[in-house]
């Protein structure tokens, strides 16, 4: 199975929804498996907010396994013995694709000069990658969370590019609560004295404290109360009694601090601002005259939507909303709500029922 990261530099400027364009954009990506002679077995996997192209290979910064290694590989639900799998880092991110940390024409990092992007802009970059790989029609596009937004955007705006569309734990637009949590994270980053208006790349100190708090707040939304209670309860961390201070007395506090500090080693604070803003702007119905069904008018793709009963970030009602729109558009769609205790992150964790759904839908 292949997996070495490659970088494609686009020859044409990438047009953006905000009205500007991104010149000499770069898309970092990995591929796994072998592309069939007729190029009919390609699957595009779209990653979530803090994900990257290392879907099934060791992460070069953390040394940890790929973020969906349990799902992608030989003999796995997304079987690389059968399918040619492509996963790219979205523009705006920080693992090789063009983003705020990339160098602008003047040789300095873009920082906050990087144009504000949308989910549809990210997908424009992915479509440009498919064009470069000469993949006209995907066997499937697959994504969870923000990856599901990209899958829906591809299906709505480039309907001829995918035969199957698999959307897991996602939504067609961000709710006020979703936007509120993201704004909390952005404000934490921008309140860090080391953020320096985004111009921190040449400085000795980075806005790690603010980014860690943003990650801690977001991570809470990825879990369920049941998962937190089962894993930590009110157990104390490495002590018999409360300290009556502000160290991490509770295991859950220590866990969140660990999540926050680890995140700062692999992710760029400005990228976090740009990608969360893109997610907040996402509203597929708004892009198509205000009616979600119109986004899928005339589609010939088969759709499968999956939600989890413990996901309160993108609850089942959000998936049902998309399913109803697909029904109204006359699309072929299946839908399943799976029971799992892990919350939103269930799509990344060991849920055998999800494996069966993914494998069955792709065949």
């Amino acid at each position: 199975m292949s997996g070495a990261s490659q970088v494609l530099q686009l020859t044409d400027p990438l047009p953006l929804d905000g009205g500007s364009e991104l010149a000499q954009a770069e898309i970092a990506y990995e591929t796994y498996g072998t592309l069939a002679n007729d190029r009919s077995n390609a699957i595009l996997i779209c990653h979530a907010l803090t994900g990257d192209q290392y879907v099934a290979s060791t992460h070069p910064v953390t040394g940890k396994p790929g973020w969906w290694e349990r799902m992608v590989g030989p003999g796995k639900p997304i079987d690389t013995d059968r399918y040619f799998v492509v996963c790219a880092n979205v523009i705006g991110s920080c693992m090789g694709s063009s983003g705020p940390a990339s160098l602008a024409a003047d040789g300095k990092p873009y920082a906050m000069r990087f144009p504000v992007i949308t989910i549809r802009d990210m997908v424009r970059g992915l479509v440009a990658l498919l064009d470069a790989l000469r993949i006209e029609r995907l066997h499937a596009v697959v994504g969870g969370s923000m990856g599901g937004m990209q899958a829906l955007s591809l299906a709505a705006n480039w309907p001829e590019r995918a035969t199957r569309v698999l959307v897991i734990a996602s939504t067609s637009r961000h709710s006020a609560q979703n936007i509120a949590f993201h704004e909390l994270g952005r404000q934490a980053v921008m309140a860090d004295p080391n953020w320096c208006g985004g111009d921190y790349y040449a400085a000795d100190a980075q806005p790690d404290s603010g980014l860690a708090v943003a990650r801690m707040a977001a991570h809470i939304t990825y879990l369920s109360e049941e998962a937190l209670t089962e894993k930590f309860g009110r157990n104390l961390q490495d002590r018999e009694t409360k300290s009556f201070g502000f160290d991490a007395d509770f295991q859950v506090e220590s866990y969140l601090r660990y999540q926050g500090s680890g995140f700062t080693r692999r992710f760029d604070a400005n990228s976090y601002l740009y990608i969360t803003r893109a997610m907040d702007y996402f509203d597929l119905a708004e892009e198509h005259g205000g009616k979600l069904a119109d986004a899928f008018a005339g589609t010939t793709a088969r759709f499968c939507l999956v939600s989890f009963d413990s996901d309160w970030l993108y609850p089942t009602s959000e998936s049902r909303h998309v399913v109803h729109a697909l029904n109204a558009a006359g699309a072929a769609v299946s839908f399943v709500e799976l029971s799992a205790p892990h919350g939103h992150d269930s799509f990344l964790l060991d849920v055998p029922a999800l494996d069966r759904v993914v494998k069955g839908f792709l065949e």
Side-chain angles (χ1 to χ4, degrees), residues 27-47:
I27 310 291
Y29 68 100
E30 289 206 335
T31 66
Y32 307 83
T34 302
L35 186 60
N37 291 333
D38 63 0
R39 308 182 109 70
S40 64
N41 68 331
I43 293 178
L44 175 66
I45 297 179
C46 304
H47 69 73

Side-chain angles (χ1 to χ4, degrees), residues 31-218:
T31 66
Y32 307 83
T34 302
L35 186 60
N37 291 333
D38 63 0
R39 308 182 109 70
S40 64
N41 68 331
I43 293 178
L44 175 66
I45 297 179
C46 304
H47 69 73
L49 164 55
T50 63
D52 45 51
Q53 66 270 39
Y54 301 103
V55 62
S57 59
T58 302
H59 195 283
V61 177
T62 66
K64 293 181 178 179
W67 57 267
W68 226 13
E69 195 170 64
R70 58 174 301 279
M71 188 68 71
V72 180
K76 295 181 180 180
I78 302 178
D79 188 350
T80 52
D81 285 338
R82 296 182 58 186
Y83 305 116
F84 179 69
V85 175
V86 181
C87 185
N89 193 216
V90 298
I91 60 166
S93 193
C94 52
M95 288 306 297
S97 292
S98 295
S102 303
L103 298 183
D106 60 4
K108 298 177 180 178
Y110 276 103
M112 300 307 287
R113 297 179 297 162
F114 194 76
V116 172
I117 55 170
T118 65
I119 296 294
R120 184 161 52 183
D121 293 335
M122 295 176 182
V123 178
R124 282 193 184 96
L126 297 177
V127 169
L129 172 61
L130 295 178
D131 288 343
L133 296 173
R134 295 191 296 120
I135 298 171
E136 294 184 4
R137 189 170 179 88
L138 293 161
H139 178 77
V141 57
V142 180
S145 193
M146 187 186 85
M149 297 179 186
Q150 296 167 68
L152 287 172
S153 181
L154 181 90
N157 296 296
W158 292 268
E160 73 287 351
R161 300 306 293 254
T163 302
R164 295 168 180 80
V165 181
L166 177 54
V167 179
I168 308 169
S170 195
T171 181
S172 66
R173 80 276 197 250
H174 252 195
S175 68
Q177 186 183 54
N178 297 148
I179 296 169
F181 272 109
H182 275 174
E183 176 62 3
L184 169 63
R186 287 191 292 265
Q187 288 299 320
V189 170
M190 293 188 285
D192 189 317
N194 293 327
W195 183 59
C196 300
D199 292 318
Y200 54 79
Y201 294 106
D204 294 331
Q206 309 287 302
D208 289 346
S209 295
L211 182 58
V213 171
R215 175 62 169 178
M216 290 166 69

Side-chain angles (χ1 to χ4, degrees), residues 303-323:
F303 290 78
C304 178
L305 277 84
V306 181
S307 69
F308 297 98
D309 59 0
S310 59
D311 184 354
W312 59 274
L313 183 64
Y314 301 141
T316 292
S317 58
E318 294 295 326
S319 291
R320 288 192 191 281
H321 180 62
V322 179
V323 170

